[in-house]
Amino acid sequence: MKHLISLLAAFMGAAILYPALADNDIHTTKPKFTVDTIPAVIRNSYEAHFLEAARQLNANHDDSALTLLNRCIDMKPEAAEAYFLRSRIYGIQHEDTLAMADLQHAAALNPQNSTYQENVAQNYINFRQFDKAIVAFEKLYENNRDRSDVLNVLIQLYQHEKNYDMMLDATNRLELMEGNSEDMTLAKIRIYEMKGDKKSAFKVLKALCDAHPSDVNYRVMMGNWLMQNSKQKDAYKIFQQALKEEPDNVYAESSMRDYYRATGKDSLAHELTERILMSRKTSSQDRVTMMRQLIQESEKDGKDSMDIVRLFDRVLQHNPKDGDVAELAAAYMTLKKMPEDSVKRALNRVLSISPDNVGARLQLIQGLWSKKKWDDIIALCEPALLYNPDEMAFYYFKGLAYYQKENNDEALSTFRKGVSQINSSSNPDIVSDFYAIMGDILHQKGQAQESFAAYDSCLQWKSDNVGCLNNYAYYLSEEGQDLKRAEEMSFRTVKAEPKNSTFLDTYAWILFLQSRYEESKIYIDQAIKNDTDSVVSAVVLEHAGDIHAMCNEPDKAVDFWQQAVKAGSTSALIQKKLKLKKYIKE
């Protein structure tokens, strides 16, 4: 069962996030047959019809299932499960009003069934009928007092409806269920602020601070609240006392910095900024948080981005092993479109600190790819596979680089190692391309059956890999194998990319091999017309000549064969075709 919070996210934005139970903590009641006193013959007939309807629905025979369920309801009008199952069919058929009516009927017939009630409530959200959804979820909660996920949904629904009193009530119910926590207290504070009840918000926050008198961070939180509510002097006293007790408390330092900025004391704010960023006592996470804040301030104030870059350099001079800051610096420079060499240096700095950083290495590889620096790409991939042996992308780029260098043995070896890392969570697109390229290489090595096996594996991972479909179809036709299957695969590529010259040529040639010459001519002419290369492929031109020759157009055939020769054709028979002005089968 999908968690209710994920459903809400599709229909409304929530300013407050609450902790949610995992799916396996949600208990639902499975539909059961209604206990009744109808005659056994009718009951047995009903159950047989109902079970058959469920089988038909599972087999995607919706119309048959619907007919059977209608018969079930005629026999047993009080059968909630029949209405519920029929609502699923109406939902599949996009009959939303009928689906909702059946859901409501099922829920009314069996009000204790949580599954029915929950589906009704969810559908109210789908229809954006949030007032009705609230009633439904409250009813669901009434029968399921252990469902914290239901309370979370109610909190968000009440927020959407701006019913802050009930939002607070639902939060209190959640607190009784899960116990008091900092997150719960902060949620209450935010609700009071949404209500405009500053006094209650302060009271709750003060109670939190009083409950943790030795925790400086709660007092700093209080200071931040006072700052936001225009009580800077009171906030300053809290920050000052906090720093007296814990001079290296970054949370207190950052809050004091915000106070200095808000009160125009920029030099003091700058001094604290330097202290936080340069101190080795500052955690990497706090340092990154501060840099992100400074970037936002710089963007807001329209400052020179090079000031931020120079600050990054200074921070890394003081903290040369902070990989997170180095990564943020590289990301910032990329975002600001800094010169390529500068970004490259920043990425290399990341790798010098964190050689297992996948993102930085892949970005460097992608930068080299457009420059066709295959050896540099291979050099980047080799250590990556030691640090990240399960990262498919590095096998992919390394194998492709070897393939571009026409080192098919190393390419094939790399792809085979990559295939050994495949698991259920692997990216289907990458795995599919692995097998597709392996198929191409194996075919070039004369291993046709091994090649076809690789193509089959490719299509299992991604059935619409058009590059694989095209090559598989063409090589099948070359081998004279299974032309019907080759035609079917090739047609799928033409349907996907109707102006792709290569795909059109393949399809035309497969039709030609089946002696369907007139059909073949239609597609080969489209292939010639749509070829965007400055010089049309010699193979395509020779195919065009062969096809027109078999369509009793010898002059056109000769013209295409002559163009094929000019395009560099290496065909052993093309001169003989020109001499005899007819197609000669190889």
Side-chain angles (χ1 to χ4, degrees):
M1 182 181 68
K2 291 184 179 178
H3 200 284
L4 296 176
I5 298 300
S6 63
L7 180 71
L8 265 180
F11 296 97
M12 66 174 75
I16 300 179
L17 298 178
Y18 291 82
L21 289 180
D23 285 350
N24 58 12
D25 289 327
I26 299 175
H27 307 290
T28 58
T29 305
K30 293 182 178 179
K32 296 179 181 178
F33 291 123
T34 307
V35 177
D36 53 51
T37 58
I38 63 174
V41 173
I42 296 177
R43 182 167 62 251
N44 291 339
S45 178
Y46 168 85
E47 291 180 359
H49 277 75
F50 184 84
L51 291 173
E52 181 59 26
R55 279 194 287 268
Q56 292 294 331
L57 182 57
N58 287 334
N60 297 320
H61 300 154
D62 301 344
D63 291 338
S64 298
L66 185 60
T67 300
L68 288 162
L69 286 170
N70 287 337
R71 177 63 183 137
C72 285
I73 291 169
D74 288 340
M75 287 189 283
K76 190 176 176 184
E78 74 281 12
E81 68 277 355
Y83 288 101
F84 181 75
L85 196 59
R86 191 171 71 173
S87 74
R88 285 183 54 194
I89 298 174
Y90 285 141
I92 292 168
Q93 296 176 345
H94 303 292
E95 296 283 357
D96 296 336
T97 302
L98 293 174
M100 188 58 173
D102 271 3
L103 273 176
Q104 290 172 320
H105 205 106
L109 287 167
N110 192 348
Q112 301 303 313
N113 189 301
S114 296
T115 300
Y116 300 166
Q117 302 299 335
E118 190 168 320
N119 274 269
V120 169
Q122 288 175 344
N123 272 275
Y124 281 134
I125 293 175
N126 290 340
F127 292 130
R128 304 186 68 81
Q129 296 176 347
F130 299 124
D131 54 340
K132 293 182 179 179
I134 287 172
V135 174
F137 276 113
E138 284 288 8
K139 187 175 182 180
L140 182 61
Y141 172 71
E142 187 65 27
N143 294 322
N144 298 271
R145 295 286 184 137
D146 60 341
R147 293 280 301 269
S148 63
D149 62 309
V150 174
L151 284 174
N152 275 303
V153 173
L154 280 167
I155 288 166
Q156 295 184 56
L157 285 168
Y158 283 129
Q159 180 182 349
H160 183 268
E161 297 298 286
K162 294 183 171 57
N163 189 340
Y164 301 122
D165 288 332
M166 286 306 299
M167 186 181 179
L168 189 61
D169 176 76
T171 302
N172 288 330
R173 284 184 272 166
L174 186 63
E175 185 177 30
L176 285 173
M177 185 187 300
E178 297 187 340
N180 184 266
S181 67
E182 180 183 326
D183 286 342
M184 203 73 71
T185 301
L186 293 175
K188 285 185 181 181
I189 293 168
R190 287 192 287 269
I191 295 170
Y192 279 124
E193 288 181 333
M194 281 188 271
K195 284 183 64 176
D197 188 351
K198 302 286 185 181
K199 185 177 180 180
S200 294
F202 179 80
K203 185 178 178 180
V204 173
L205 183 53
K206 188 176 185 306
L208 180 64
C209 293
D210 292 343
H212 302 84
S214 60
D215 194 325
V216 168
N217 288 336
Y218 286 114
R219 277 180 276 152
V220 173
M221 190 186 300
M222 171 69 80
N224 289 333
W225 187 89
L226 291 168
M227 279 282 295
Q228 293 166 9
N229 287 276
S230 304
K231 295 184 178 181
Q232 283 90 349
K233 288 183 179 180
D234 294 335
Y236 175 71
K237 291 177 183 177
I238 292 175
F239 299 150
Q240 194 176 42
Q241 181 61 35
L243 288 171
K244 185 177 180 180
E245 294 178 30
E246 294 183 16
D248 296 314
N249 186 306
V250 175
Y251 185 30
E253 287 179 322
S254 299
S255 297
M256 182 65 91
R257 175 187 177 276
D258 292 339
Y259 166 79
Y260 286 142
R261 277 178 52 83
T263 55
K265 298 175 182 178
D266 293 338
S267 60
L268 291 173
H270 177 74
E271 190 178 308
L272 260 182
T273 301
E274 293 284 318
R275 177 178 168 180
I276 294 168
L277 290 174
M278 307 308 165
S279 173
R280 296 197 176 185
K281 294 181 180 179
T282 302
S283 70
S284 178
Q285 181 180 352
D286 287 335
R287 209 174 278 121
V288 166
T289 300
M290 176 59 72
M291 286 303 305
R292 289 185 185 279
Q293 184 177 341
L294 291 169
I295 289 170
Q296 290 175 353
E297 291 170 2
S298 175
E299 293 295 308
K300 182 180 177 181
D301 297 340
K303 292 183 178 178
D304 188 347
S305 57
M306 286 306 299
D307 290 341
I308 295 291
V309 173
R310 285 188 284 269
L311 180 57
F312 270 121
D313 288 339
R314 291 209 319 280
V315 172
L316 288 168
Q317 284 173 7
H318 284 80
N319 303 276
K321 294 185 178 181
D322 195 327
D324 293 335
V325 171
E327 186 173 6
L328 181 61
Y332 178 73
M333 294 172 73
T334 302
L335 181 67
K336 301 302 289 185
K337 295 183 169 50
M338 298 282 178
E340 188 176 344
D341 288 345
S342 299
V343 174
K344 183 179 177 181
R345 281 195 297 272
L347 291 168
N348 279 317
R349 181 166 57 186
V350 174
L351 291 183
S352 69
I353 301 169
S354 307
D356 60 341
N357 189 298
V358 173
R361 199 176 290 271
L362 285 176
Q363 191 174 340
L364 282 168
I365 289 170
Q366 289 165 354
L368 293 167
W369 193 265
S370 60
K371 298 178 180 178
K372 300 183 179 180
K373 293 190 175 182
W374 314 126
D375 290 330
D376 290 344
I377 291 168
I378 292 167
L380 272 170
C381 289
E382 285 177 346
L385 293 174
L386 297 176
Y387 292 109
N388 309 99
D390 57 345
E391 181 55 61
M392 303 290 290
F394 294 123
Y395 296 99
Y396 181 73
F397 283 113
K398 183 182 177 184
L400 276 177
Y402 274 124
Y403 188 54
Q404 294 294 333
K405 283 167 61 68
E406 298 183 359
N407 188 338
N408 286 350
D409 290 336
E410 285 292 343
L412 190 58
S413 173
T414 301
F415 285 126
R416 280 175 170 157
K417 289 176 184 176
V419 164
S420 70
Q421 299 294 328
I422 293 172
N423 56 57
S424 58
S425 61
S426 297
N427 185 320
D429 292 335
I430 292 180
V431 175
S432 176
D433 283 346
F434 266 46
Y435 281 117
I437 300 168
M438 286 174 65
D440 294 345
I441 294 171
L442 287 165
H443 193 272
Q444 290 175 29
K445 293 171 74 68
Q447 300 175 32
Q449 296 312 308
E450 292 88 341
S451 168
F452 296 157
Y455 288 143
D456 285 331
S457 295
C458 164
L459 296 174
Q460 284 178 4
W461 279 86
K462 192 170 187 289
S463 61
D464 60 347
N465 186 319
V466 290
C468 172
L469 287 168
N470 176 77
N471 291 359
Y472 196 177
Y474 189 72
Y475 293 146
L476 278 174
S477 73
E478 279 194 332
E479 298 288 330
Q481 295 184 27
D482 205 347
L483 289 179
K484 283 298 179 185
R485 185 186 180 200
E487 179 190 344
E488 185 272 332
M489 288 192 293
S490 181
F491 180 73
R492 287 174 62 191
T493 70
V494 171
K495 190 175 180 180
E497 298 183 23
K499 292 188 177 181
N500 186 305
S501 177
T502 300
F503 296 171
L504 289 163
D505 170 65
T506 298
Y507 188 58
W509 190 244
I510 292 170
L511 294 174
F512 175 83
L513 293 177
Q514 296 178 80
S515 302
R516 293 158 63 182
Y517 302 126
E518 292 298 330
E519 286 181 76
S520 176
K521 185 172 72 169
I522 294 170
Y523 289 97
I524 197 65
D525 287 349
Q526 289 182 46
I528 299 291
K529 178 182 177 181
N530 286 289
D531 200 315
T532 56
D533 292 340
S534 55
V535 178
V536 180
S537 163
V539 172
V540 175
L541 289 166
E542 186 170 358
H543 284 168
D546 296 347
I547 291 167
H548 279 278
M550 296 304 292
C551 289
N552 297 315
E553 296 177 350
D555 292 339
K556 282 190 175 181
V558 167
D559 181 52
F560 281 123
W561 288 330
Q562 288 174 339
Q563 291 182 56
V565 171
K566 290 180 183 178
S569 173
T570 57
S571 169
L573 294 176
I574 198 163
Q575 293 299 333
K576 198 169 184 179
K577 293 175 186 176
L578 282 166
K579 183 177 180 180
L580 297 175
K581 295 187 177 181
K582 70 176 185 177
Y583 168 69
I584 300 171
K585 186 176 181 180
E586 292 188 20

